[in-house]
Amino acid sequence: KNQVEQSPQSLIILEGKNCTLQCNYTVSPFSNLRWYKQDTGRGPVSLTIMTFSENTKSNGRYTATLDADTKQSSLHITASQLSDSASYICVVRGGGFKTIFGAGTRLFVKA
Amino acid sequence: DAGITQSPRHKVTETGTPVTLRCHQTENHRYMYWYRQDPGHGLRLIHYSYGVKDTDKGEVSDGYSVSRSKTEDFLLTLESATSSQTSVYFCAISEAWDRTTDTQYFGPGTRLTVL
């Protein structure tokens, strides 16, 4: 069964600290993996995309990694800001129009 | 929100009534999608469209129908609303479906409550 599992479900960190969010998937075949950020009350916004041959992709303070062999990805946030408080969603595209969304990690950044 | 609007933004309705949600885009993107988002679940695809009058079912299509008569509009209809369809509905668009250019842009969402 194609699945995307994210951990932790929620996370609280202090402003300025780093954090890492995890994503494990069993989607096959694999086309790409994206991380989205979803602010409360808004639609998700794409942060990064990685295909099979890419193992690291950065977007400002966000760095995503992909290990296609172990089917794991992580999103590292450096020097967190209050505006980073949001849900982070891992999305894996399989064959055709199959796109599996993880349930997300809810990040709270406190001052 | 990338030139995507959804209407209404909030709706409360009663069980058994039909409901239509509208998604409008100004980006001229070919692909349009309807998702629902429920607590503890990832976004789940209801229906999608790959062109005017070309639509197909997603993983949770039962009880929903769609229509796309113009590039810019994608309508989602709940034929007879049930309480299990209480959810937040998101419309998304994408320009292409190549694995490196399939970024989906999401609308602001519609919160639907079925009593």
Side-chain angles (χ1 to χ4, degrees):
Chain A
K1 181 179 179 182
N2 292 313
Q3 287 186 312
V4 176
E5 296 184 351
Q6 295 187 240
S7 62
Q9 281 191 323
S10 64
L11 181 63
I12 302 172
I13 63 173
L14 291 176
E15 186 178 14
K17 298 297 186 182
N18 303 335
C19 68
T20 299
L21 314 181
Q22 300 291 343
C23 173
N24 295 334
Y25 63 93
T26 58
V27 179
S28 181
F30 174 85
S31 291
N32 62 40
L33 184 147
R34 293 181 183 275
W35 284 92
Y36 281 84
K37 178 186 179 186
Q38 184 176 20
D39 293 315
T40 301
R42 306 198 66 166
V45 175
S46 180
L47 291 174
T48 63
I49 175 176
M50 287 180 291
T51 58
F52 186 88
S53 58
E54 298 171 297
N55 53 27
T56 302
K57 186 70 71 75
S58 292
N59 178 359
R61 295 179 297 101
Y62 301 102
T63 299
T65 65
L66 173 66
D67 185 333
D69 290 332
T70 62
K71 298 187 177 181
Q72 296 179 323
S73 177
S74 65
L75 180 69
H76 185 75
I77 303 175
T78 303
S80 61
Q81 301 176 357
L82 297 178
S83 59
D84 292 330
S85 294
S87 289
Y88 292 85
I89 303 172
C90 175
V91 184
V92 180
R93 180 183 160 190
F97 277 90
K98 186 182 300 293
T99 301
I100 310 298
F101 288 73
T105 292
R106 187 80 175 95
L107 176 65
F108 300 88
V109 181
K110 291 195 166 186
Chain B
D1 293 320
I4 309 169
T5 56
Q6 293 185 230
S7 58
R9 294 293 313 280
H10 302 272
K11 186 170 181 67
V12 180
T13 191
E14 293 188 348
T15 298
T17 61
V19 176
T20 295
L21 308 183
R22 179 181 184 239
C23 177
H24 178 79
Q25 61 149 325
T26 58
E27 306 295 326
N28 200 35
H29 283 1
R30 177 181 175 185
Y31 299 89
M32 298 186 75
Y33 315 82
W34 276 108
Y35 293 92
R36 60 179 288 173
Q37 186 174 41
D38 304 293
H41 288 86
L43 283 131
R44 292 179 290 176
L45 182 65
I46 304 171
H47 281 278
Y48 63 94
S49 170
Y50 45 96
V52 173
K53 298 187 179 178
D54 292 323
T55 65
D56 206 347
K57 296 179 180 181
E59 63 179 301
V60 291
S61 59
D62 287 348
Y64 302 95
S65 62
V66 291
S67 66
R68 190 169 178 200
S69 58
K70 298 184 291 185
T71 298
E72 57 267 34
D73 290 324
F74 193 32
L75 304 180
L76 176 71
T77 297
L78 287 65
E79 293 138 10
S80 178
T82 67
S83 58
S84 64
Q85 294 176 311
T86 293
S87 187
V88 180
Y89 291 84
F90 286 98
C91 174
I93 64 174
S94 67
E95 186 173 16
W97 194 242
D98 178 83
R99 63 192 179 96
T100 60
T101 60
D102 61 346
T103 301
Q104 292 188 31
Y105 301 93
F106 287 81
T110 293
R111 183 173 295 277
L112 175 67
T113 302
V114 183
L115 301 175

